[in-house]
Amino acid sequence: MYIAVPAEILGIILPLLLGVAFLVLAERKVMAFVQRRKGPDVVGSFGLLQPLADGSKLILKEPISPSSANFSLFRMAPVATFMLSLVAWAVVPFDYGMVLSDLNIGLLYLFAISSLGVYGIITAGRSSNSKYAFLGALRSAAQMVSYEVSIGLILITVLICVGPRNSSEIVMAQKQIWSGIPLFPVLVMFFISRLAETNRAPFDLPEAEAESVAGYNVEYARDAILNSPLLAEANVPGSRGLILTETRGGSLPTKNYSILAKPKNVSA
């Protein structure tokens, strides 16, 4: 049986955390462009050190907890939710056989891990002992659960077409053509459902950015580094890995596909 060593785990987590930090910067740049403003451009060249400055600021902030909150659950909820977004990468293949845990039920594992994220949000809202946080948690949980139903049905469609439930085998089953090409309407629905489950625009209503309170994480101060928007961005690479694995050939090189390959010269 294959046993993962800590170096392999760090090799996945460290690039993932760096990617999450710069995804936040990229999203802020795009939003600034849409709203016709500069965005982050002060810290470092073109604002590239802004994620480091934001992380340092959040770490150095004073941890404040509501006096009536359940302290243990209040601290555990964001950490548990953030960890779930990381452990989902255990079954995502980077190449054939290059996967942390090559489970035969890798697809079901991914779906199960993504479904558990709703418990962290409910716990964060309920343990705050605030009606605003609790109502925000219910709103977010309702959206996540509703779109998980559509994701489950879409994954069943992919399973019927490709056969295996192992992530590496699903990738290899797409050697001739991406499953997202014949299943293009399913790919569009899958993409929309993952946007909604990770609370990204235009499905970012649970974060309540336009309101005076910020949804389920309104009582969090320093622990906001483990909550929105970093927590939402941490789920985005996992969603992207799932979409690439199931519908776009995963780690297979694009030039090897028969529909894109150059025709060979046939000698007479």
Side-chain angles (χ1 to χ4, degrees):
M1 182 177 178
Y2 182 77
I3 300 176
V5 297
E8 295 173 332
I9 298 175
L10 290 176
I12 295 176
I13 292 179
L14 293 181
L16 179 61
L17 292 179
L18 286 175
V20 167
F22 284 98
L23 268 175
V24 175
L25 176 63
E27 183 181 27
R28 293 176 64 183
K29 287 282 190 181
V30 172
M31 288 191 298
F33 175 77
V34 171
Q35 298 165 6
R36 300 186 66 180
R37 54 185 177 85
K38 288 186 176 182
D41 63 346
V42 176
V43 186
S45 180
F46 302 103
L48 291 178
L49 297 181
Q50 189 66 45
L52 181 61
D54 291 340
S56 302
K57 180 189 71 173
L58 289 173
I59 291 174
L60 295 175
K61 286 180 71 174
E62 180 184 1
I64 301 174
S65 301
S67 58
S68 57
N70 187 320
F71 183 79
S72 57
L73 291 178
F74 185 78
R75 294 299 182 193
M76 182 192 71
V79 177
T81 309
F82 190 74
M83 290 302 297
L84 285 173
S85 66
L86 297 180
V87 298
W89 283 86
V91 296
V92 175
F94 299 94
D95 199 353
Y96 186 74
M98 192 176 175
V99 57
L100 194 62
S101 180
D102 202 13
L103 299 176
N104 289 328
I105 54 171
L107 183 60
L108 299 180
Y109 171 86
L110 276 174
F111 186 59
I113 291 297
S114 64
S115 301
L116 289 175
V118 66
Y119 291 103
I121 290 177
I122 285 289
T123 304
R126 184 65 185 90
S127 62
S128 299
N129 200 18
S130 167
K131 61 181 179 181
Y132 298 108
F134 186 54
L135 290 174
L138 291 180
R139 180 170 55 182
S140 182
Q143 176 172 302
M144 293 177 67
V145 171
S146 61
Y147 281 96
E148 281 172 7
V149 176
S150 64
I151 291 175
L153 295 175
I154 290 168
L155 291 180
I156 290 174
T157 305
V158 176
L159 279 178
I160 293 174
C161 295
V162 300
R165 290 169 295 177
N166 180 281
S167 300
S168 299
E169 296 300 329
I170 290 175
V171 171
M172 297 306 296
Q174 303 175 66
K175 292 182 73 172
Q176 298 300 321
I177 187 173
W178 290 342
S179 59
I181 294 178
L183 300 175
F184 183 73
V186 175
L187 173 60
V188 174
M189 291 187 291
F190 192 25
F191 179 71
I192 294 173
S193 299
R194 292 303 297 183
L195 280 180
E197 191 181 16
T198 53
N199 298 334
R200 308 317 298 152
F203 303 97
D204 54 350
L205 180 64
E207 295 180 6
E209 291 180 347
E211 300 179 10
S212 58
V213 294
Y216 62 91
N217 61 331
V218 63
E219 297 291 348
Y220 284 89
R222 188 185 71 176
D223 291 335
I225 192 172
L226 298 177
N227 249 297
S228 174
L230 187 61
L231 177 59
E233 289 291 354
N235 288 315
V236 171
S239 299
R240 192 173 299 167
L242 182 59
I243 293 174
L244 289 175
T245 300
E246 309 306 325
T247 60
R248 294 184 57 190
S251 58
L252 292 175
T254 306
K255 64 180 181 180
N256 289 348
Y257 287 98
S258 58
I259 59 173
L260 299 176
K262 294 182 179 179
K264 297 181 180 180
N265 295 326
V266 180
S267 57

Coordinates of all heavy atoms in Angstrom, one line a residue, residues 61-144:
K61 N -3.3 40.9 13.5 CA -4.5 41.5 14.1 C -4.8 40.8 15.4 O -4.6 39.6 15.6 CB -5.7 41.4 13.2 CG -5.7 42.4 12.0 CD -6.9 42.2 11.1 CE -8.1 42.7 11.8 NZ -9.3 42.7 10.9
E62 N -5.5 41.5 16.3 CA -5.8 41.0 17.6 C -7.0 40.0 17.5 O -8.0 40.3 16.8 CB -6.3 42.1 18.6 CG -6.7 41.6 20.0 CD -7.2 42.7 20.8 OE1 -7.2 43.9 20.3 OE2 -7.5 42.5 22.0
P63 N -6.9 38.8 18.0 CA -8.0 37.8 17.9 C -9.1 38.2 18.9 O -8.9 38.2 20.1 CB -7.3 36.5 18.3 CG -6.1 36.8 19.1 CD -5.7 38.2 18.6
I64 N -10.2 38.5 18.4 CA -11.4 38.9 19.2 C -12.5 37.9 19.1 O -12.9 37.6 17.9 CB -11.9 40.3 18.8 CG1 -10.7 41.4 19.0 CG2 -13.1 40.7 19.7 CD1 -11.1 42.7 18.5
S65 N -13.0 37.5 20.2 CA -14.1 36.5 20.2 C -15.3 37.1 20.9 O -15.1 37.7 22.0 CB -13.7 35.2 20.9 OG -12.6 34.6 20.2
P66 N -16.5 36.9 20.4 CA -17.7 37.3 21.1 C -17.8 36.7 22.5 O -17.4 35.5 22.7 CB -18.8 36.9 20.2 CG -18.2 36.7 18.9 CD -16.8 36.3 19.1
S67 N -18.2 37.4 23.5 CA -18.2 36.9 24.9 C -19.2 35.8 25.1 O -19.0 34.9 25.9 CB -18.5 38.1 25.9 OG -19.8 38.7 25.5
S68 N -20.2 35.8 24.2 CA -21.3 34.8 24.4 C -21.1 33.6 23.4 O -22.0 32.7 23.3 CB -22.7 35.4 24.2 OG -22.7 36.0 22.9
A69 N -20.0 33.6 22.6 CA -19.8 32.6 21.6 C -19.3 31.3 22.2 O -18.7 31.3 23.3 CB -18.8 33.1 20.5
N70 N -19.5 30.2 21.5 CA -18.9 28.9 21.9 C -17.5 28.9 21.4 O -17.2 28.7 20.2 CB -19.7 27.8 21.3 CG -19.2 26.4 21.8 OD1 -18.1 26.1 22.0 ND2 -20.2 25.5 22.0
F71 N -16.5 29.1 22.4 CA -15.1 29.4 22.0 C -14.5 28.3 21.1 O -13.9 28.6 20.1 CB -14.3 29.7 23.2 CG -12.9 30.1 22.9 CD1 -12.6 31.4 22.5 CD2 -11.8 29.2 23.0 CE1 -11.3 31.8 22.2 CE2 -10.6 29.6 22.7 CZ -10.3 30.9 22.3
S72 N -14.7 27.1 21.6 CA -14.0 26.0 20.9 C -14.5 25.8 19.4 O -13.8 25.7 18.5 CB -14.2 24.7 21.7 OG -15.5 24.4 21.9
L73 N -15.9 25.8 19.3 CA -16.4 25.7 18.0 C -16.2 26.9 17.1 O -16.0 26.8 15.9 CB -18.0 25.5 18.1 CG -18.4 24.1 18.6 CD1 -19.9 24.1 18.7 CD2 -17.9 23.0 17.8
F74 N -16.1 28.1 17.8 CA -15.9 29.3 17.0 C -14.5 29.3 16.4 O -14.3 29.8 15.3 CB -16.0 30.5 18.0 CG -15.9 31.9 17.4 CD1 -17.0 32.4 16.7 CD2 -14.7 32.6 17.5 CE1 -16.9 33.7 16.1 CE2 -14.6 33.8 16.9 CZ -15.7 34.4 16.2
R75 N -13.5 28.8 17.1 CA -12.1 28.7 16.6 C -12.0 27.5 15.6 O -11.2 27.6 14.7 CB -11.1 28.6 17.7 CG -11.0 29.8 18.6 CD -10.6 31.0 17.8 NE -10.5 32.2 18.6 CZ -10.4 33.4 18.1 NH1 -10.4 33.6 16.8 NH2 -10.3 34.5 18.9
M76 N -12.7 26.4 15.8 CA -12.5 25.2 15.0 C -13.1 25.3 13.7 O -12.6 24.8 12.7 CB -13.1 24.0 15.8 CG -12.9 22.7 15.1 SD -13.9 21.4 15.8 CE -15.5 21.9 15.3
A77 N -14.3 26.0 13.5 CA -15.0 26.0 12.3 C -14.2 26.5 11.1 O -14.2 25.8 10.1 CB -16.3 26.9 12.5
P78 N -13.6 27.7 11.1 CA -12.8 28.1 9.9 C -11.7 27.2 9.6 O -11.3 27.0 8.4 CB -12.4 29.5 10.2 CG -12.4 29.6 11.7 CD -13.5 28.7 12.2
V79 N -11.0 26.7 10.6 CA -9.8 25.8 10.4 C -10.3 24.5 9.7 O -9.7 24.0 8.8 CB -9.1 25.5 11.7 CG1 -8.0 24.5 11.5 CG2 -8.6 26.8 12.3
A80 N -11.4 23.9 10.2 CA -11.9 22.7 9.6 C -12.3 22.9 8.2 O -12.0 22.1 7.3 CB -13.1 22.2 10.5
T81 N -13.0 24.0 7.9 CA -13.4 24.3 6.5 C -12.2 24.5 5.6 O -12.3 24.0 4.4 CB -14.3 25.5 6.5 OG1 -15.4 25.4 7.5 CG2 -15.0 25.7 5.1
F82 N -11.2 25.2 6.1 CA -10.0 25.4 5.3 C -9.3 24.1 5.0 O -8.8 23.9 3.9 CB -9.1 26.4 6.0 CG -8.0 26.9 5.1 CD1 -8.2 27.8 4.1 CD2 -6.7 26.5 5.3 CE1 -7.1 28.2 3.3 CE2 -5.6 26.9 4.6 CZ -5.9 27.8 3.5
M83 N -9.2 23.2 6.0 CA -8.5 22.0 5.8 C -9.3 21.1 4.8 O -8.6 20.3 4.0 CB -8.4 21.2 7.2 CG -7.5 21.9 8.1 SD -5.8 22.0 7.5 CE -5.4 20.3 7.3
L84 N -10.6 21.1 4.8 CA -11.4 20.3 3.8 C -11.0 20.8 2.4 O -11.0 19.9 1.5 CB -12.9 20.5 4.1 CG -13.4 19.7 5.3 CD1 -14.9 20.1 5.6 CD2 -13.3 18.2 5.1
S85 N -10.8 22.1 2.2 CA -10.5 22.5 0.8 C -9.1 22.0 0.4 O -8.8 21.9 -0.8 CB -10.5 24.0 0.8 OG -9.5 24.6 1.6
L86 N -8.2 21.6 1.4 CA -6.9 21.1 1.0 C -6.9 19.6 0.8 O -6.2 19.1 -0.1 CB -5.9 21.5 2.2 CG -5.6 23.0 2.4 CD1 -4.6 23.2 3.5 CD2 -5.1 23.7 1.1
V87 N -7.6 18.9 1.7 CA -7.5 17.4 1.6 C -8.2 16.9 0.4 O -8.0 15.8 0.0 CB -8.1 16.8 2.9 CG1 -7.4 17.2 4.1 CG2 -9.6 17.1 3.0
A88 N -9.0 17.7 -0.3 CA -9.6 17.3 -1.5 C -8.6 17.0 -2.6 O -8.9 16.2 -3.5 CB -10.6 18.4 -2.0
W89 N -7.4 17.7 -2.5 CA -6.4 17.5 -3.5 C -5.7 16.2 -3.4 O -4.8 15.8 -4.2 CB -5.4 18.6 -3.4 CG -5.9 19.9 -4.0 CD1 -6.7 20.8 -3.4 CD2 -5.7 20.3 -5.4 NE1 -7.0 21.8 -4.3 CE2 -6.4 21.6 -5.5 CE3 -5.0 19.8 -6.5 CZ2 -6.4 22.3 -6.7 CZ3 -5.0 20.5 -7.7 CH2 -5.7 21.7 -7.8
A90 N -6.0 15.3 -2.4 CA -5.3 14.1 -2.2 C -5.5 13.1 -3.4 O -4.7 12.2 -3.6 CB -5.7 13.4 -0.9
V91 N -6.7 13.2 -4.1 CA -7.0 12.3 -5.2 C -7.0 12.9 -6.5 O -7.4 12.3 -7.5 CB -8.4 11.7 -4.9 CG1 -8.4 10.8 -3.7 CG2 -9.5 12.7 -4.8
V92 N -6.5 14.2 -6.6 CA -6.4 14.8 -8.0 C -5.1 14.5 -8.6 O -4.0 14.8 -8.1 CB -6.5 16.4 -7.8 CG1 -6.3 17.1 -9.2 CG2 -7.9 16.8 -7.2
P93 N -5.1 13.8 -9.8 CA -3.8 13.4 -10.4 C -3.2 14.5 -11.2 O -3.8 15.2 -11.9 CB -4.3 12.3 -11.4 CG -5.7 12.6 -11.7 CD -6.3 13.3 -10.5
F94 N -1.8 14.6 -10.9 CA -1.0 15.6 -11.7 C -0.4 15.0 -12.9 O 0.0 15.7 -13.8 CB 0.1 16.2 -10.8 CG -0.5 16.9 -9.6 CD1 -0.7 16.2 -8.4 CD2 -0.9 18.2 -9.7 CE1 -1.2 16.9 -7.3 CE2 -1.4 18.9 -8.6 CZ -1.6 18.2 -7.4
D95 N -0.3 13.7 -12.9 CA 0.1 12.9 -14.1 C -0.4 11.4 -13.8 O -0.9 11.1 -12.7 CB 1.6 12.9 -14.3 CG 2.0 12.5 -15.7 OD1 1.1 12.1 -16.4 OD2 3.2 12.7 -16.0
Y96 N -0.3 10.5 -14.8 CA -0.7 9.2 -14.5 C 0.1 8.5 -13.4 O 1.3 8.4 -13.6 CB -0.7 8.3 -15.8 CG -1.3 7.0 -15.6 CD1 -2.7 6.8 -15.5 CD2 -0.5 5.8 -15.4 CE1 -3.2 5.6 -15.3 CE2 -1.1 4.6 -15.3 CZ -2.4 4.5 -15.2 OH -3.0 3.2 -15.0
G97 N -0.5 8.1 -12.3 CA 0.2 7.6 -11.2 C 0.8 8.6 -10.3 O 1.3 8.2 -9.2
M98 N 0.8 9.8 -10.7 CA 1.4 10.9 -9.8 C 0.3 11.6 -9.0 O -0.2 12.6 -9.3 CB 2.1 11.9 -10.7 CG 2.9 12.9 -10.0 SD 3.8 14.0 -11.1 CE 4.6 15.1 -10.0
V99 N -0.2 10.9 -8.0 CA -1.3 11.3 -7.2 C -1.0 10.9 -5.7 O -0.4 9.8 -5.5 CB -2.6 10.7 -7.7 CG1 -2.5 9.2 -7.7 CG2 -3.8 11.1 -6.9
L100 N -1.4 11.7 -4.8 CA -1.1 11.4 -3.4 C -1.8 10.1 -2.9 O -1.1 9.3 -2.2 CB -1.6 12.6 -2.5 CG -1.0 12.7 -1.1 CD1 0.5 12.8 -1.1 CD2 -1.7 13.8 -0.3
S101 N -3.0 9.9 -3.2 CA -3.7 8.7 -2.8 C -4.6 8.3 -4.0 O -5.6 8.9 -4.3 CB -4.6 9.0 -1.6 OG -5.3 7.8 -1.2
D102 N -4.2 7.2 -4.6 CA -4.9 6.7 -5.9 C -6.1 5.8 -5.5 O -6.0 4.6 -5.6 CB -3.9 6.0 -6.8 CG -4.4 6.0 -8.2 OD1 -5.4 6.7 -8.5 OD2 -3.8 5.2 -9.0
L103 N -7.1 6.4 -4.9 CA -8.3 5.6 -4.5 C -9.1 5.1 -5.6 O -9.3 5.8 -6.7 CB -9.2 6.5 -3.6 CG -8.5 7.0 -2.3 CD1 -9.5 7.9 -1.5 CD2 -8.1 5.8 -1.4
N104 N -9.7 4.0 -5.5 CA -10.7 3.5 -6.5 C -12.0 4.2 -6.5 O -12.7 4.2 -7.5 CB -11.0 2.0 -6.3 CG -9.8 1.1 -6.6 OD1 -9.0 1.4 -7.5 ND2 -9.6 0.0 -5.9
I105 N -12.2 5.0 -5.4 CA -13.5 5.8 -5.3 C -13.1 7.2 -5.2 O -13.7 8.0 -4.5 CB -14.3 5.3 -4.1 CG1 -13.5 5.3 -2.8 CG2 -14.9 4.0 -4.4 CD1 -14.4 5.1 -1.6
G106 N -12.1 7.6 -6.0 CA -11.6 9.0 -5.9 C -12.7 10.0 -6.2 O -12.7 11.1 -5.6
L107 N -13.5 9.7 -7.2 CA -14.6 10.7 -7.6 C -15.6 10.9 -6.4 O -16.0 12.0 -6.1 CB -15.3 10.2 -8.8 CG -16.4 11.2 -9.4 CD1 -15.8 12.5 -9.7 CD2 -17.1 10.5 -10.6
L108 N -16.0 9.8 -5.8 CA -16.9 9.8 -4.7 C -16.2 10.6 -3.5 O -16.9 11.3 -2.7 CB -17.3 8.4 -4.3 CG -18.1 7.6 -5.3 CD1 -18.5 6.3 -4.8 CD2 -19.3 8.4 -5.8
Y109 N -14.9 10.4 -3.3 CA -14.2 11.1 -2.2 C -14.3 12.6 -2.5 O -14.5 13.3 -1.5 CB -12.8 10.6 -2.2 CG -11.8 11.3 -1.3 CD1 -11.7 11.0 0.0 CD2 -11.1 12.4 -1.8 CE1 -10.9 11.7 0.9 CE2 -10.2 13.1 -1.0 CZ -10.1 12.8 0.3 OH -9.3 13.5 1.2
L110 N -14.0 13.0 -3.7 CA -14.1 14.4 -4.0 C -15.4 15.0 -3.7 O -15.6 16.1 -3.1 CB -13.7 14.7 -5.5 CG -12.2 14.8 -5.8 CD1 -12.0 14.9 -7.3 CD2 -11.6 16.0 -5.1
F111 N -16.5 14.3 -4.1 CA -17.8 14.8 -3.9 C -18.2 14.8 -2.4 O -18.8 15.8 -1.9 CB -18.8 13.9 -4.6 CG -20.2 14.4 -4.6 CD1 -20.6 15.6 -5.1 CD2 -21.2 13.6 -4.0 CE1 -21.9 16.1 -5.1 CE2 -22.5 14.0 -4.0 CZ -22.9 15.3 -4.5
A112 N -17.7 13.8 -1.7 CA -18.0 13.8 -0.2 C -17.3 14.9 0.5 O -17.9 15.6 1.4 CB -17.5 12.5 0.4
I113 N -16.0 15.2 0.1 CA -15.3 16.3 0.8 C -15.9 17.6 0.5 O -16.0 18.5 1.4 CB -13.8 16.3 0.3 CG1 -13.1 15.0 0.9 CG2 -13.1 17.5 0.8 CD1 -13.0 15.0 2.4
S114 N -16.3 17.9 -0.8 CA -16.9 19.1 -1.1 C -18.3 19.3 -0.4 O -18.7 20.4 -0.1 CB -17.1 19.2 -2.6 OG -18.0 18.3 -3.1
S115 N -18.9 18.2 -0.1 CA -20.2 18.3 0.6 C -20.1 18.6 2.1 O -21.0 19.2 2.7 CB -21.0 17.0 0.5 OG -21.2 16.7 -0.9
L116 N -18.9 18.3 2.7 CA -18.7 18.5 4.1 C -18.4 20.0 4.4 O -18.5 20.4 5.6 CB -17.5 17.7 4.6 CG -17.7 16.2 4.7 CD1 -16.4 15.5 5.1 CD2 -18.8 15.8 5.7
G117 N -18.1 20.8 3.4 CA -17.8 22.2 3.7 C -18.9 23.0 4.3 O -18.7 23.9 5.0
V118 N -20.2 22.5 4.0 CA -21.3 23.2 4.5 C -21.4 23.2 6.1 O -21.9 24.1 6.7 CB -22.6 22.7 3.9 CG1 -22.9 21.2 4.4 CG2 -23.8 23.5 4.2
Y119 N -20.8 22.1 6.7 CA -20.9 22.0 8.1 C -20.0 23.0 8.8 O -20.3 23.5 9.9 CB -20.4 20.6 8.5 CG -21.4 19.5 8.2 CD1 -21.1 18.7 7.1 CD2 -22.6 19.3 8.9 CE1 -22.0 17.7 6.7 CE2 -23.5 18.3 8.5 CZ -23.2 17.5 7.4 OH -24.1 16.5 7.1
G120 N -18.9 23.4 8.2 CA -18.0 24.4 8.8 C -18.7 25.7 8.7 O -18.6 26.5 9.7
I121 N -19.4 26.0 7.7 CA -20.1 27.3 7.6 C -21.3 27.4 8.6 O -21.5 28.4 9.3 CB -20.7 27.5 6.1 CG1 -19.5 27.8 5.2 CG2 -21.6 28.7 6.1 CD1 -19.8 27.9 3.8
I122 N -22.0 26.3 8.7 CA -23.1 26.3 9.7 C -22.5 26.4 11.1 O -23.1 27.1 12.0 CB -23.9 25.0 9.6 CG1 -24.8 25.0 8.4 CG2 -24.8 24.7 10.8 CD1 -26.0 26.0 8.5
T123 N -21.4 25.7 11.4 CA -20.8 25.8 12.7 C -20.3 27.2 13.0 O -20.4 27.7 14.1 CB -19.6 24.8 12.8 OG1 -20.1 23.5 12.5 CG2 -19.1 24.8 14.2
A124 N -19.7 27.9 12.0 CA -19.2 29.2 12.2 C -20.3 30.2 12.5 O -20.2 31.0 13.4 CB -18.4 29.7 11.0
G125 N -21.5 30.1 11.8 CA -22.6 30.9 12.1 C -23.2 30.7 13.4 O -23.6 31.6 14.1
R126 N -23.4 29.4 13.8 CA -24.1 29.1 15.0 C -23.3 29.3 16.2 O -23.8 29.8 17.2 CB -24.5 27.6 15.0 CG -25.4 27.2 16.2 CD -26.7 27.9 16.2 NE -27.5 27.6 17.4 CZ -27.4 28.2 18.5 NH1 -26.6 29.3 18.6 NH2 -28.1 27.9 19.5
S127 N -22.0 29.0 16.2 CA -21.1 29.2 17.3 C -20.9 30.7 17.7 O -20.5 31.0 18.8 CB -19.8 28.5 17.1 OG -19.1 29.1 16.0
S128 N -21.1 31.6 16.7 CA -21.0 33.0 17.0 C -22.0 33.6 17.9 O -21.8 34.7 18.5 CB -21.0 33.8 15.6 OG -20.0 33.4 14.8
N129 N -23.1 32.9 18.1 CA -24.2 33.3 18.9 C -24.7 34.7 18.5 O -25.0 35.6 19.4 CB -23.8 33.3 20.4 CG -25.0 33.3 21.4 OD1 -26.1 32.9 20.9 ND2 -24.8 33.6 22.6
S130 N -24.8 34.9 17.2 CA -25.3 36.1 16.7 C -26.4 35.8 15.6 O -26.2 34.9 14.8 CB -24.2 36.9 16.0 OG -24.7 38.0 15.2
K131 N -27.5 36.4 15.7 CA -28.6 36.1 14.7 C -28.2 36.5 13.3 O -28.6 35.8 12.3 CB -29.9 36.8 15.1 CG -29.8 38.3 15.2 CD -31.1 38.9 15.6 CE -31.1 40.4 15.7 NZ -32.3 41.0 16.1
Y132 N -27.4 37.5 13.1 CA -26.9 37.9 11.8 C -26.0 36.9 11.2 O -26.2 36.5 10.0 CB -26.2 39.3 11.9 CG -27.1 40.4 12.4 CD1 -26.9 40.9 13.6 CD2 -28.2 40.9 11.6 CE1 -27.7 42.0 14.1 CE2 -29.0 41.9 12.0 CZ -28.7 42.4 13.3 OH -29.6 43.5 13.7
A133 N -25.1 36.4 12.0 CA -24.2 35.3 11.5 C -24.9 34.0 11.2 O -24.7 33.4 10.3 CB -23.1 35.1 12.5
F134 N -25.9 33.7 12.1 CA -26.7 32.5 11.9 C -27.5 32.5 10.7 O -27.6 31.6 9.9 CB -27.5 32.2 13.2 CG -28.2 30.9 13.1 CD1 -27.5 29.7 12.9 CD2 -29.6 30.8 13.3 CE1 -28.1 28.5 12.9 CE2 -30.2 29.6 13.3 CZ -29.5 28.4 13.1
L135 N -28.2 33.7 10.4 CA -29.0 33.8 9.2 C -28.1 33.8 8.0 O -28.5 33.2 7.0 CB -29.8 35.1 9.3 CG -31.0 35.1 10.3 CD1 -31.6 36.5 10.4 CD2 -32.0 34.1 10.0
G136 N -26.9 34.4 8.1 CA -26.0 34.3 6.9 C -25.5 32.9 6.7 O -25.4 32.5 5.5
A137 N -25.3 32.1 7.7 CA -24.9 30.7 7.6 C -26.0 29.9 6.9 O -25.7 29.0 6.1 CB -24.5 30.1 8.9
L138 N -27.2 30.1 7.4 CA -28.4 29.4 6.8 C -28.5 29.7 5.3 O -28.7 28.8 4.4 CB -29.6 29.7 7.5 CG -29.8 29.2 8.9 CD1 -31.1 29.6 9.5 CD2 -29.7 27.7 9.0
R139 N -28.3 31.0 4.9 CA -28.4 31.4 3.5 C -27.3 30.7 2.7 O -27.6 30.2 1.6 CB -28.4 32.9 3.4 CG -28.5 33.5 2.0 CD -28.6 35.0 2.1 NE -27.5 35.6 2.8 CZ -27.5 36.9 3.0 NH1 -28.4 37.7 2.5 NH2 -26.5 37.5 3.7
S140 N -26.1 30.7 3.2 CA -25.0 30.1 2.5 C -25.2 28.6 2.4 O -24.9 28.0 1.3 CB -23.7 30.5 3.2 OG -22.6 29.9 2.5
A141 N -25.6 28.0 3.5 CA -25.8 26.5 3.5 C -26.9 26.1 2.5 O -26.7 25.1 1.8 CB -26.1 26.0 4.9
A142 N -27.9 26.9 2.4 CA -29.0 26.5 1.5 C -28.6 26.6 0.1 O -28.9 25.7 -0.7 CB -30.2 27.5 1.7
Q143 N -27.8 27.6 -0.3 CA -27.2 27.6 -1.6 C -26.3 26.5 -2.0 O -26.4 25.9 -3.0 CB -26.5 29.0 -1.9 CG -25.9 29.1 -3.2 CD -25.4 30.5 -3.5 OE1 -26.2 31.5 -3.4 NE2 -24.1 30.6 -3.8
M144 N -25.4 26.2 -1.0 CA -24.4 25.1 -1.3 C -25.1 23.8 -1.4 O -24.8 23.0 -2.3 CB -23.4 25.1 -0.1 CG -22.5 26.3 0.0 SD -21.4 26.3 1.4 CE -20.3 24.9 0.9

